[in-house]
Amino acid sequence: MVWAILIFAGLLEVGWAIGLKYTEGFTRLWPSIWTIGAMIASVWLLAIAMKTLPAGTAYSVWVGIGAVGTVILGIVLLNEPANAARLVSVGLVIAGIVGLKIFTPS
């Protein structure tokens, strides 16, 4: 269950990272409200996961999910570049996340 909480926290991190783009410097009300809410919920769920998981693992997985998701949505939604080097780099981050999951005792 703790891993599901951590994954959801990471997905919320993606939401607020992309949301920052839509807030236009926190000048747009509804995107700003969503982004701030996602920030609070994401960090709160990370804290819950850290009660059970090692801090380094939980934080690294959370950041990794956020980074990978933000890059993917940046490519899909914001027309950011999807060159081979970026995609290989995302693959390496995913490999690190999987490795931390596999080698962290539950």
Side-chain angles (χ1 to χ4, degrees), residues 3-83:
W3 284 99
I5 291 169
L6 182 59
I7 289 168
F8 189 59
L11 293 174
L12 284 170
E13 185 189 5
V14 174
W16 68 255
I18 292 296
L20 284 171
K21 188 78 169 175
Y22 291 99
T23 68
E24 295 181 14
F26 291 104
T27 60
R28 297 181 61 214
L29 179 63
W30 293 112
S32 297
I33 289 171
W34 155 252
T35 299
I36 291 167
M39 286 175 173
I40 291 167
S42 179
V43 172
W44 177 65
L45 290 172
L46 173 62
I48 290 171
M50 281 186 164
K51 288 167 51 175
T52 303
L53 296 172
T57 298
Y59 183 75
S60 297
V61 169
W62 180 71
V63 168
I65 292 169
V68 169
T70 303
V71 169
I72 291 169
L73 286 182
I75 291 167
V76 172
L77 298 176
L78 306 172
N79 297 316
E80 294 178 356
N83 58 49

